[in-house]
Amino acid sequence: MRRFFLTHNGIFLFFIIVIYTLTVSAEIKVGVADWMVLKRQKPGAFTLAKHVCADGLELDMGGLGKRDSFDNKLRNDYEVQKFLKMADSTKIEIGAIAMSGFYGQNFGEKPTYRWLIEDCLNTMDKMNNVKVAFLPLGGCGKDWTTNKKKLKIIIKRLHEVGDMAAKRGKVIGIDTPLDAAENLKLLKKINSKGIKIFYKWQTATENGYDICAEIKTLGKDNICAFHASNPDGVWLKNDTTIDLKAIRKVLTEIGWEGWMFVERSRDTTIVRNVKRNFGENVRYLKDVFAPVCFKLDDTTGFEEAYINTILNRSQKITDQLNITGTSKGDNVKNILANHYFFLNRVFEENKDVKAKLYDHHFDFIANLNAVCTPTEVDMIKDLMTYNVRNVKYKAQLEMIPTLNVEEREYLMNLLKEAREYAIDAKGSKEKHALFKKYMGRYNTWLSQKGYDLKKERQNWGARVKAKGGKL
């Protein structure tokens, strides 16, 4: 982490350039389906995935139609190298290989099904040894689940291709219209370690299934990945039919890890805006499901009542940001709680307080920046300091509405500096005292510029009184 210091109009300003890398275990990663971002088997899919902040791609095998084989470029080693080079340069992983052509083709009737699966497995090997393939059974219709003859054929074929995958250390994830209990029965009949459920939220909502209950019934060992989206209409964060926080809780309880891929959930008012639609959904999924990188520090020596007070105080801030119950919310809550625990220890020890606060402050802000947007960090700072910055700024402009741009900027810079120190202050009294000190400095500066502050305050009071109020 590097620190830079500047002065402006006598104000001591500090800026932080954070060189910060989180080392965490991969728990849940978020990717996009290349065919749905209009980049089916195109190297540009990697660049787009990076642009929307995805961790990876679900790479498709290419179109199928009524042909005997996929329109798969990746049988060509030259094309393979282009894709691998893009994956390396963008740091975008290939999380799964999809056979989306079976959305429209009947797996139970396709005569070349074994060759098609073999082609997919070979492609998985070439593309950095991908472990999960997606096989939708949508092209089979729904009657195969009740038609004994059709069901028998599909079970036999899935057993065959599942064993083909298992021998190569891979899994084929299927999407069916069945509920969790019936899927478990189907997996038992298939009887292959190479077949699991590629669970699709859209399938669940369209059939009226409870996603959380479904996940619990299936269990972590029977789910190889998720298609984490719904039919087009609104973004996931605005979708009232899916409770992502509840899903996260269930996945945490059962200990599931793996990939989530966005297929749809596009805002239909801007349905053609690929970057915006997928960017919003990827970011929201990562906010909810990304690993909790920041753990609570050791609280030995603190009473349980005090610990709970600090945790509640920290959660009030995540409540205000509407991130409680998400991974981001847990990270922020722990970062804030650790900050308050640190302040308690420093002021209790009362040794080298200024030096310790100085070093800690930069680390604290760096941690927030690691998991929050700049706007969110700004909001957190205000919430930690009772929003005094905005209250003081607004009051000063009401008192002297003629302040020019330079005078307003100087006021805001002073208040921001006061806020930085107030974040590390011992308590409420000390926080307010810091803002009072900086406002005193500002008013002195205005007086030196010729402002009659006593008169300005009297005029302000008269204006407020005329409107039926009082200062």
Side-chain angles (χ1 to χ4, degrees):
M1 178 170 57
R2 298 176 186 171
R3 302 163 187 170
F4 295 85
F5 304 90
L6 299 172
T7 59
H8 174 67
N9 288 336
I11 306 177
F12 177 64
L13 302 174
F14 50 88
F15 299 86
I16 308 171
I17 292 180
V18 183
I19 303 171
Y20 198 90
T21 302
L22 293 176
T23 304
V24 297
S25 59
E27 295 179 5
I28 294 179
K29 295 182 179 181
V30 180
V32 294
D34 71 346
W35 69 97
M36 291 307 299
V37 297
L38 310 182
K39 297 287 182 182
R40 175 183 268 170
Q41 283 213 343
K42 293 180 180 178
F46 292 93
T47 306
L48 193 146
K50 188 174 183 68
H51 180 89
V52 301
C53 301
D55 299 309
L57 279 171
E58 182 180 4
L59 198 64
D60 195 51
M61 285 293 292
L64 180 56
K66 295 182 179 181
R67 296 184 298 272
D68 290 333
S69 62
F70 295 113
D71 184 19
N72 180 18
K73 294 180 182 178
L74 299 175
R75 296 188 205 101
N76 183 310
D77 288 341
Y78 174 74
E79 292 292 333
V80 168
Q81 291 307 311
K82 282 202 305 185
F83 276 68
L84 292 179
K85 186 175 180 180
M86 284 297 294
D88 183 62
S89 64
T90 58
K91 306 304 178 188
I92 293 294
E93 298 179 53
I94 303 169
I97 300 292
M99 295 175 276
S100 71
F102 279 109
Y103 272 128
Q105 297 297 309
N106 193 324
F107 177 74
E109 296 176 358
K110 202 73 174 177
T112 56
Y113 73 96
R114 286 183 63 93
W115 190 91
L116 291 167
I117 297 298
E118 190 74 33
D119 189 24
C120 179
L121 296 174
N122 291 339
T123 302
M124 293 167 77
D125 282 340
K126 292 179 180 179
M127 304 311 292
N128 287 332
N129 194 23
V130 177
K131 297 298 184 183
V132 176
F134 172 55
L135 172 60
L137 298 180
C140 300
K142 288 189 176 181
D143 66 329
W144 66 269
T145 61
T146 54
N147 184 306
K148 291 184 178 181
K149 183 178 179 181
K150 291 182 178 180
L151 178 60
K152 184 177 180 180
I153 292 171
I154 288 175
I155 289 173
K156 178 178 181 294
R157 290 189 171 197
L158 288 175
H159 175 80
E160 289 178 35
V161 300
D163 283 358
M164 288 166 60
K167 287 177 182 178
R168 298 170 69 161
K170 305 183 190 305
V171 169
I172 297 172
I174 57 174
D175 169 40
T176 84
L178 300 171
D179 65 18
E182 291 302 314
N183 269 325
L184 285 179
K185 292 178 183 178
L186 178 64
L187 291 177
K188 187 175 182 179
K189 291 175 182 177
I190 293 168
N191 189 30
S192 174
K193 293 180 179 179
I195 299 292
K196 293 189 178 184
I197 301 299
F198 202 122
Y199 195 87
K200 187 169 179 173
W201 294 353
Q202 179 176 340
T203 301
T205 57
E206 287 178 340
N207 287 281
Y209 304 148
D210 181 329
I211 295 176
C212 291
E214 291 263 297
I215 292 170
K216 288 181 180 179
T217 299
L218 285 169
K220 70 173 185 177
D221 294 333
N222 291 311
I223 302 172
C224 63
F226 284 92
H227 273 140
S229 53
N230 225 357
D232 292 331
V234 296
W235 294 328
L236 285 169
K237 66 182 180 182
N238 300 324
D239 193 336
T240 58
T241 66
I242 300 180
D243 187 344
L244 268 68
K245 294 178 183 179
I247 293 172
R248 175 180 181 261
K249 184 179 178 182
V250 171
L251 293 179
T252 301
E253 288 174 355
I254 68 173
W256 187 87
E257 297 182 356
W259 281 91
M260 290 184 168
F261 298 100
V262 181
E263 265 193 306
R264 294 188 178 275
S265 288
R266 296 173 292 191
D267 183 335
T268 48
T269 64
I270 52 169
V271 72
R272 296 183 184 278
N273 192 332
V274 173
K275 291 180 180 178
R276 183 79 190 280
N277 279 309
F278 284 86
E280 290 286 344
N281 286 324
V282 166
R283 279 188 285 273
Y284 187 62
L285 284 171
K286 293 182 83 169
D287 282 351
V288 176
F289 293 102
V292 176
C293 312
F294 294 95
K295 310 297 183 183
L296 274 181
D297 290 342
D298 183 9
T299 56
T300 301
F302 292 130
E303 293 182 2
E304 185 177 350
Y306 172 73
I307 295 170
N308 289 333
T309 297
I310 292 302
L311 292 176
N312 289 334
R313 181 191 303 175
S314 302
Q315 184 170 320
K316 285 180 180 178
I317 292 177
T318 63
D319 288 344
Q320 289 290 311
L321 270 65
N322 196 29
I323 57 175
T324 300
T326 69
S327 178
K328 176 183 281 191
D330 287 351
N331 277 315
V332 171
K333 181 179 176 180
N334 290 344
I335 291 168
L336 291 171
N338 289 339
H339 171 72
Y340 292 128
F341 293 144
F342 175 84
L343 294 182
N344 183 290
R345 289 192 176 99
V346 167
F347 286 115
E348 282 292 318
E349 292 170 1
N350 199 28
K351 293 180 181 179
D352 302 320
V353 173
K354 287 186 177 180
K356 289 177 180 177
L357 291 180
Y358 177 84
D359 286 335
H360 168 76
H361 184 85
F362 291 98
D363 291 336
F364 170 63
I365 300 301
N367 289 344
L368 288 177
N369 280 322
V371 296
C372 295
T373 66
T375 299
E376 288 170 334
V377 172
D378 205 50
M379 290 175 63
I380 290 169
K381 289 180 179 180
D382 283 330
L383 290 167
M384 293 178 73
T385 54
Y386 318 116
N387 202 34
V388 175
R389 172 186 68 126
N390 294 313
V391 171
K392 294 286 187 184
Y393 184 78
K394 181 182 178 183
Q396 193 74 11
L397 264 60
E398 288 177 352
M399 185 175 83
I400 314 176
T402 57
L403 290 174
N404 61 35
V405 173
E406 180 192 14
E407 291 161 347
R408 294 181 184 211
E409 286 182 351
Y410 184 47
L411 171 61
M412 181 56 74
N413 286 335
L414 272 172
L415 289 170
K416 284 184 176 180
E417 185 177 336
R419 184 180 65 177
E420 294 299 322
Y421 285 109
I423 285 169
D424 301 329
K426 186 176 182 179
S428 174
K429 181 180 178 180
E430 289 80 7
K431 292 180 192 293
H432 284 285
L434 280 162
F435 282 103
K436 184 176 181 181
K437 171 185 172 182
Y438 275 81
M439 285 305 300
R441 184 186 298 181
Y442 182 69
N443 287 332
T444 298
W445 181 72
L446 286 181
S447 296
Q448 292 170 349
K449 292 192 69 177
Y451 280 90
D452 185 339
L453 295 179
K454 184 177 180 180
K455 185 177 180 180
E456 294 287 356
R457 185 169 183 82
Q458 288 174 345
N459 292 339
W460 180 31
R463 292 194 301 271
V464 171
K465 186 176 180 179
K467 294 179 179 180
K470 62 179 182 178
L471 293 179

